[in-house]
Amino acid sequence: MSDFLPEARALLGEANVLTVDLAAYATDWRGKFTGVPLAVLRPADTAQVAATVKLCAIHGVAIVPQGGNTGMCGGATPDGSGQQVVLSLSRLNRVRNIDPLNNTMTVEAGCVLQTLQELATEHDRLFPLSLGAEGSCQIGGNIATNAGGVQVLRYGNTRDLVLGLEVVLADGQVLNLLRALRKDNTGYDLKHLFIGSEGTLGIVTAAVLKLFPAPHASAVAFAAFQTPQQALQLLGLMRGALGDRFTAFELMSDASLGLVRQYFPATPALFAETHPWHVLMQATDPGADDGAQVALDTSFQAALEQALETGVIDDVVVATSVAQAEELWAVRENISEAQQHDGHNIKHDIAVPVSSVAAFIEEVQPLLHAAYTGVRPVVYGHLGDGNLHFNVSRPPGWSTPDWQGESDRVNAIVLDVVARLQGSFSAEHGLGQLKKHEMALYKTPLEIEVMRRVKQALDPQGLMNPGKLLPV
Ligand code: FAD
Ligand code: 2HG
Ligand code: ZN
């Protein structure tokens, strides 16, 4: 071990083996987990990643891959031993190829998501992965967590957007799966093992990503109504009217909007009265002529009028400009940060069948209120995918440590209902350190056993992000 750091310096250069001022790498975005890295290693390319991983294997040093460090579950944070290295992918930020005819781009893992969205736009294409952290999260992190975001309804999760992958395996070999093919049935599709594996099986160094026609026409609206059941009715109505042009359907409770208004005071007041529930909806069309926009507006407005007339919604604001659409989206995107400013909350990132979302909310809220007087569930998320962020803020009078101490009890209340509804305890953020214990409660022993066999086969020394994803 004593030779490890000098050898790493010889390999990567003095400036890319950091051992001081590591705070930004040692704590997660939420400030919930803090570790003690032995060092932060910053390779420049795939060859350097491979050589670094080989060096770690020789010295028995565990590796914690880190992208933009925006993950919600402490997956990119090392433990407190001072023996694990953080492997930052930030310098692998080249675009290797863009092929508009094939509708693909081949990019390195450290590319920031927003720069890839912008690159696609420059080529009159869409890269549809979109989430609040897009200005700092990296595509490697998105792939490692199989990130979701606000356009899954139309385009799917990150997994659905990846055609090919380049991965450095635990022994330092480079597994080249960088094929830009939409059809390829030549054995097991190995890339899917690494997508969503949170750095526990290998290091993603590059990917071939799917592109789509750029949306030229767009319609955005913010609706208010009384019950989660009405949200489901509205979803059915809008999808019926817009089909595949319908791209986003984001639910927000009034408490979620209250936090945004409190911590982002410039947030516009959208409705004269308060309403318990809201959704933000978007439809797009690739058609570039005026006719496409008119046709989209006509279907969108007609569906909204029907929703108003039949009492499905109480009120609606339809964006009349790009700036107003962005303003409406900012309300939704700022919820996570607003709740972060508000102090510790017990996060749940659950999925149930879309048809069961209202039942889930109606069942779980009374249970929580019965257990904790004044408890504040902050409910929002990707209703169109059946995925809710059911983040429980502490009741008045509770200290942060006391509320943190209630996590197991609150989790049991929420996640037992999820399990009864055949749902998932983690829809998009992954498990990291935060939710790996739930595996043992809500996955079958055989599922866990098969995962362990995969882990053992690919990482026999147990050096790839140990202590994450799998229960101890
Ligand atoms: P990191 O946090 O650095 O790492 C996440 C995990 O991936 C860790 O386990 C890490 O070890 C591993 N990892 C990172 N890079 C690699 C690599 N190259 N190879 C192998 N393993 C790697 N998530 C959603 O799904 N949907 C949302 O809507 C959403 N909204 C968010 C909004 C905000 C404001 C914030 C702060 C986060 C949000 N997230 C969301 C969570 C987060 O942004 C995603 O999980 C994102 O995909 C993480 O990317 P990252 O580069 O920051 O990864
Ligand atoms: C979102 O949809 C993110 O805004 C973050 O997934 C959710 O902070 C959260 O719990
Ligand atoms: Zn989300």
Side-chain angles (χ1 to χ4, degrees):
M1 171 72 98
S2 59
D3 294 337
F4 175 73
L5 286 177
E7 287 181 33
R9 288 191 182 101
L11 181 67
L12 302 175
E14 193 83 28
N16 295 306
V17 179
L18 313 181
T19 52
V20 292
D21 295 334
L22 305 184
Y25 300 92
T27 299
D28 71 322
W29 183 84
R30 293 181 67 195
K32 191 171 167 59
F33 297 98
T34 299
V36 183
L38 171 66
V40 174
L41 309 182
R42 302 177 69 246
D45 54 26
T46 301
Q48 283 201 351
V49 173
T52 304
V53 172
K54 258 186 204 140
L55 186 68
C56 289
I58 290 166
H59 289 273
V61 172
I63 299 172
V64 181
Q66 192 174 98
N69 200 17
T70 67
M72 290 284 178
C73 303
T77 311
D79 69 11
S81 66
Q83 303 297 307
Q84 302 186 333
V85 291
V86 169
L87 186 82
S88 166
L89 277 302
S90 297
R91 293 176 72 214
L92 276 81
N93 58 3
R94 283 161 288 258
V95 173
R96 293 190 188 168
N97 171 255
I98 180 152
D99 182 347
L101 194 57
N102 195 40
N103 279 311
T104 51
M105 58 182 171
T106 305
V107 304
E108 293 186 345
C111 291
V112 170
L113 173 56
Q114 192 175 322
T115 63
L116 297 180
Q117 296 166 342
E118 289 165 0
L119 179 71
T121 305
E122 281 165 31
H123 288 80
D124 196 25
R125 296 291 183 276
L126 172 74
F127 182 58
L129 183 63
S130 173
L131 47 108
E134 62 201 18
S136 50
C137 65
Q138 298 174 7
I139 193 67
N142 302 143
I143 291 169
T145 56
N146 185 27
V150 295
Q151 301 211 83
V152 172
L153 185 64
R154 163 70 179 86
Y155 298 99
N157 290 298
T158 302
R159 185 182 297 286
D160 304 299
L161 305 175
V162 176
L163 288 179
L165 219 52
E166 180 186 81
V167 183
V168 173
L169 300 176
D171 61 4
Q173 291 190 80
V174 179
L175 180 64
N176 186 337
L177 309 169
L178 279 178
R179 288 181 279 267
L181 303 175
R182 284 176 173 73
K183 290 187 154 183
D184 179 18
N185 284 344
T186 50
Y188 303 133
D189 198 339
L190 295 175
K191 66 177 179 287
H192 286 301
L193 270 181
F194 299 95
I195 301 172
S197 68
E198 301 183 46
T200 61
L201 300 179
I203 317 275
V204 175
T205 47
V208 182
L209 304 173
K210 275 189 204 170
L211 299 174
F212 295 82
H216 296 291
S218 168
V220 172
F222 209 105
F225 48 92
Q226 296 295 316
T227 66
Q229 190 59 44
Q230 287 172 317
L232 290 177
Q233 289 173 282
L234 181 61
L235 176 64
L237 208 157
M238 298 304 289
R239 278 190 117 169
L242 292 151
D244 252 9
R245 293 177 298 171
F246 201 48
T247 58
F249 192 81
E250 295 286 313
L251 182 74
M252 290 156 279
S253 67
D254 190 47
S256 316
L257 297 196
L259 286 174
V260 176
R261 282 192 292 267
Q262 185 177 346
Y263 293 99
F264 295 87
T267 302
L270 297 176
F271 303 104
E273 293 165 22
T274 57
H275 304 265
W277 294 98
H278 305 83
V279 290
L280 178 59
M281 295 167 276
Q282 178 167 291
T284 64
D285 191 295
D289 53 71
D290 287 349
Q293 182 67 57
V294 171
L296 186 70
D297 285 341
T298 305
S299 310
F300 197 72
Q301 305 266 13
L304 289 176
E305 270 157 35
Q306 193 186 337
L308 279 168
E309 278 163 19
T310 53
V312 171
I313 58 175
D314 298 339
D315 209 345
V316 64
V317 173
V318 180
T320 53
S321 64
V322 172
Q324 196 187 3
E326 282 171 2
E327 203 173 61
L328 296 181
W329 268 110
V331 177
R332 162 63 184 94
E333 296 291 16
N334 285 336
I335 299 173
S336 182
E337 208 177 316
Q339 198 176 19
Q340 176 77 2
H341 291 307
D342 198 54
H344 179 77
N345 64 87
I346 301 175
K347 277 194 188 299
H348 302 100
D349 160 36
I350 64 97
V352 292
V354 175
S355 48
S356 300
V357 168
F360 165 73
I361 295 172
E362 280 153 15
E363 209 175 310
V364 85
Q365 298 225 99
L367 294 176
L368 274 176
H369 286 291
Y372 299 99
T373 309
V375 73
R376 293 175 299 144
V378 174
V379 186
Y380 64 100
H382 320 286
L383 189 146
D385 319 325
N387 169 201
L388 290 184
H389 301 304
F390 194 96
N391 296 341
V392 192
S393 282
R394 62 185 191 278
W398 281 71
S399 71
T400 291
D402 283 352
W403 186 238
Q404 268 169 329
E406 293 301 300
S407 295
D408 286 350
R409 187 172 168 217
V410 172
N411 288 346
I413 293 172
V414 175
L415 298 182
D416 286 357
V417 176
V418 172
R420 271 205 301 283
L421 293 170
Q422 313 289 315
S424 164
F425 62 91
S426 178
E428 58 174 16
H429 297 157
L431 306 180
Q433 320 182 32
L434 181 66
K435 295 186 208 151
K436 62 177 184 169
H437 309 291
E438 270 80 23
M439 271 262 205
L441 299 173
Y442 299 107
K443 288 271 191 194
T444 63
L446 187 55
E447 274 177 289
I448 298 173
E449 173 55 22
V450 173
M451 287 192 208
R452 283 196 202 285
R453 285 187 213 167
V454 172
K455 171 80 176 167
Q456 177 63 25
L458 286 171
D459 180 24
Q461 283 183 271
L463 296 178
M464 306 307 290
N465 215 0
K468 313 290 167 51
L469 194 146
L470 285 163
V472 184

